[in-house]
Amino acid sequence: MRKVAAVLVMAAVAGLVVSSAPKQANAQPQYLKAFLAKYEIEGAAEKKCGICHGEKKSERSAYAMEFGKALGEKKVKDVEKINAAYDTAAKAEYADGKTYGELLKSGKLPAPYGE
């Protein structure tokens, strides 16, 4: 009985250690690099990931969701696929018949993180 209890305690401790370990960031600098090359928007380089994300990296703007949907998969490294996804996201409507592409070409970043 003691052996079973000891094994259960060790399993619980191991579970706590694994679950409390810091989560690895899924930074995708190639997305930012491609965005900055495609759109010349004042202040975009300083916003960095804030172009698409909020304070928490799990928060994504509607534009980021459109980009992710167009990308179709995670951690894409192919610049052509990334640019194609930006082109697709640019065609998406964000308000009153206006597209993200029109907004970006006017030199503005999408809300709410571009404000």
Side-chain angles (χ1 to χ4, degrees):
M1 190 64 150
R2 286 185 180 180
K3 288 181 183 180
V4 172
V7 169
L8 289 174
V9 168
M10 288 172 50
V13 169
L16 286 172
V17 169
V18 170
S19 67
S20 65
K23 306 293 185 246
Q24 183 177 358
N26 290 324
Q28 302 301 319
Q30 65 272 20
Y31 298 166
L32 177 61
K33 186 177 179 181
F35 182 89
L36 295 175
K38 189 168 199 64
Y39 301 107
E40 293 182 26
I41 300 174
E42 188 176 330
E46 291 77 27
K47 288 225 182 261
K48 296 182 182 178
C49 298
I51 294 169
C52 291
H53 296 279
E55 289 182 26
K56 296 178 184 176
K57 297 304 177 208
S58 60
E59 297 175 343
R60 295 189 306 157
S61 67
Y63 174 71
M65 289 184 206
E66 289 290 339
F67 172 71
K69 187 171 33 171
L71 202 54
E73 56 187 290
K74 295 181 179 183
K75 299 183 182 181
V76 174
K77 303 230 186 264
D78 184 350
V79 176
E80 289 181 20
K81 286 183 180 180
I82 294 168
N83 283 327
Y86 278 131
D87 290 341
T88 301
K91 295 174 187 172
E93 186 178 315
Y94 76 95
D96 298 329
K98 296 179 183 176
T99 65
Y100 285 113
E102 294 169 334
L103 177 71
L104 294 166
K105 285 179 184 174
S106 73
K108 296 179 182 172
L109 293 171
Y113 309 116
E115 297 176 326

